[in-house]
Amino acid sequence: QAKQRGNGFAFYRAEMNRHALKILELENDLRHALERRELLLHYQPKVELARGRIIGCEALLRWQHPQRGLVSPADFIPLAEETGLIVPIGAWALLEACNQAMQWQQQGLPAIGMAVNLSSRQFRSGDLPTAVAAALRHSALPASRLELELTESMVMDDPAGAVQTMQQLKGCGLQLSLDDFGTGYSSLNYLRHFPVDCLKIDASFIRDVDRDPSAAAVVTSIIDIAQNLGLTTIAEGVETHAQLTFLRRCQCDALQGYLYSRPLPAADFAQLLARPPAL
Ligand code: C2E
Ligand code: CA
Ligand code: CA
Ligand code: CA
C-alpha cells in the first residue's frame, strides 16, 4: 500500500515537473514571439442589429507557434500577464490593430471601428494613455474609431484610480467598453461614474437566453440599465437565430458571435467587409 502510494507520488512529481517544464518552455518561446513575428491578430465583426451593418470589429490575439501551431489566447495570455510580457505584446497589438483599420480604409473599405482588449497589467501600467496616443499618432487612425475593452474586475480593484485612467483615455477621444459584463463584481453605483460608452453582455448569459428565464432576465436588465445610463449594448457569443430573435425583441444594439462570423485573419475580414452577408 505504502509502496504503491510512493510510486504514485513519484509519478505525480514527474508529471508536475513535465508540466512546469512545459510552462517554462512556453514562457521562453513567448519572450521571442514578438521579435520572431509569431503573433498576429484575428478580427471578429460587430454587427448592428437594427440595420445589419458591420459597425466595427474586435482584434483578438493569436500565436502562431512554430511547433505547437496556433496557440489560443487562453493558454498564453495568463502567462504573458504573469511575466509582464503582456505590456510590450499589448502595445504591439494596439498599434497593429490601428494600422490594420487604416489599411482597410485605404483599400476603399468602410471606415469601421476597431476594438482592442486591454489586460489589467496594461491598464495599471501608468503609461497606457501614452501608448494609446502613440498608436493613434503612428497609425493616423482617428481616435473616435478606436475602442478599448476593459473588464469589470480590472476596474473594480481600484475604482477611483480606474476612473482617473478611464477619464484620461476618454480625453484622447476614444471609446471605452466593459467586457464580459455581468460576470464581475461590478457595483451599479460605480458604473454610474465610469466614463464608458458600451456594455458587452457576457456570452454566458447569451448562451441560455432563449431557454433559461433567469439568463433572459439578466440580459433584459443589463440592457435596461444601459439604456437608462445612456450606454450602448452588444451581446457576445451569439450563435443561434433564437438568441438573435431574443436580442432584437429587447432592443440590444449590436451582436458579435459565430452566428455572423468567427474571428478571421485580416485578409478574410477584408473580404467580409467588402461583401457583408445579411444578418
Ligand atoms: P474576450 O475578449 O471575451 O473575447 C471573446 C472570445 O469569444 C474570443 O475568444 C472569441 O473568439 C470568442 N467568441 C466569439 N464569438 C463566439 C461565439 O459565438 N461562440 C463562442 N463559443 N466563442 C466566441 P479568443 O479569441 O479565444 O480570446 C479569449 C480571450 O483572450 C478574450 O476574451 C480576451 O480576454 C483575451 N484576449 C484576446 N486577445 C487579446 C489581446 O489582444 N489582449 C488581451 N489583453 N487579451 C486578449
Ligand atoms: Ca473582448
Ligand atoms: Ca468578452
Ligand atoms: Ca471572456
Side-chain angles (χ1 to χ4, degrees), residues 57-236:
C57 66
E58 176 177 3
L60 293 155
L61 206 49
R62 298 289 180 266
W63 180 10
Q64 186 67 59
H65 190 285
Q67 283 90 42
R68 292 168 208 262
L70 211 59
V71 185
S72 135
D75 293 327
F76 72 90
I77 292 201
L79 194 64
E81 180 84 22
E82 258 172 60
T83 53
L85 285 168
I86 194 67
V87 176
I89 290 174
W92 172 83
L94 192 59
L95 181 60
E96 176 75 8
C98 293
N99 281 334
Q100 186 60 70
M102 284 309 278
Q103 199 180 317
W104 288 328
Q105 187 183 337
Q106 278 149 12
Q107 291 168 7
L109 295 165
I112 60 167
M114 174 61 75
V116 179
N117 290 285
L118 292 183
S119 78
S120 43
R121 193 120 169 195
Q122 257 180 308
F123 186 70
R124 278 193 293 257
S125 75
D127 53 29
L128 180 64
T130 314
V132 169
L136 288 171
R137 199 172 53 247
H138 287 132
S139 63
L141 181 72
S144 60
R145 282 173 53 200
L146 177 64
E147 175 182 337
L148 298 178
E149 299 192 0
L150 317 168
T151 63
E152 297 165 276
S153 48
M154 265 163 69
V155 297
M156 289 308 290
D157 283 349
D158 168 21
V163 167
Q164 257 189 350
T165 309
M166 287 158 115
Q167 274 164 349
Q168 243 179 314
L169 290 169
K170 283 298 295 175
C172 301
L174 47 73
Q175 305 284 111
L176 289 180
S177 54
L178 279 181
D179 206 350
D180 306 340
F181 191 77
T183 60
Y185 56 111
S186 62
S187 138
L188 293 180
N189 180 42
Y190 277 115
L191 186 58
R192 193 162 66 92
H193 298 293
F194 289 153
V196 297
D197 305 282
C198 176
L199 302 182
K200 297 195 74 178
I201 308 169
D202 192 71
S204 59
F205 304 116
I206 305 302
R207 189 175 47 230
D208 302 325
V209 89
D210 54 309
R211 359 183 202 121
D212 175 358
S214 67
V218 170
V219 172
T220 50
S221 303
I222 292 175
I223 293 171
D224 208 41
I225 289 167
Q227 283 176 349
N228 286 319
L229 292 174
L231 310 177
T232 61
T233 48
I234 181 164
E236 293 193 280

